[in-house]
Amino acid sequence: QVQLVESGGGLVQTGGSLRLSCAASGRTFSSFAMGWFRQAPGKEREFVAAISGSGSSTKYADSVKGRFTISRDNAKSTVSLQMNSLKPEDTAVYYCNRRTTIIVYTTPGPYWGQGTQVTVSS
C-alpha cells in the first residue's frame, strides 16, 4: 500500500513563503514521477507542479511558474514544494501525488496524500 503524507502547510501573509514536504512509503520511490496538485473551495483539483523519477525534469502550471519550485530527495523518499511570493489565489488544499511512471506528466497518478491546507491572507 502506497502512503503519502504531506506537511508544511499553514497560514502566511501575501508575499510570504512556505515549504511543503511529502514523505512516501516504499523503497522504489525513484521509479515514479511525483507531483503536487491543489484544490480551492468550489473548484476542481488542478495541477501545480511535477517532477520526474530522477528529478531531472520538472513541469509547472503557468500560475506558479517562477514562484514555486518542486524538488525531490530520493534517498529520503521525499518530494518538496518551495512556494515563494505567495498570493491569496494560492489558497487551497495541496495534495501530493504519485504516478506509476518515471516520466513526468501534468496529469495525476492513482496515489494521493491526505492534503495540507495553505492559506494566504491579503
Side-chain angles (χ1 to χ4, degrees):
Q1 182 71 33
V2 175
Q3 186 172 357
L4 305 173
V5 181
E6 302 98 333
S7 62
L11 176 64
V12 66
Q13 292 182 310
T14 297
S17 298
L18 285 173
R19 185 175 180 87
L20 306 183
S21 181
C22 173
S25 64
R27 61 180 180 178
T28 58
F29 180 72
S30 63
S31 297
F32 309 106
M34 301 290 295
W36 288 95
F37 293 75
R38 67 187 182 187
Q39 188 167 22
K43 298 183 65 178
E44 294 285 326
R45 191 169 299 185
E46 66 177 357
F47 168 76
V48 176
I51 188 167
S52 63
S54 67
S56 62
S57 297
T58 58
K59 299 290 184 183
Y60 296 94
D62 289 341
S63 59
V64 307
K65 193 172 297 181
R67 300 187 298 119
F68 291 10
T69 302
I70 188 171
S71 62
R72 67 191 298 159
D73 186 338
N74 287 342
K76 297 180 179 179
S77 297
T78 58
V79 61
S80 298
L81 185 69
Q82 179 66 46
M83 305 185 294
N84 298 326
S85 302
L86 283 163
K87 306 174 181 180
E89 52 261 46
D90 295 320
T91 296
V93 177
Y94 284 70
Y95 297 91
C96 181
N97 175 262
R98 202 209 82 180
R99 297 194 60 85
T100 56
T101 62
I102 298 173
I103 301 172
V104 62
Y105 292 96
T106 58
T107 53
Y111 304 108
W112 296 92
Q114 293 300 305
T116 185
Q117 177 71 48
V118 172
T119 302
V120 184
S121 62
S122 60

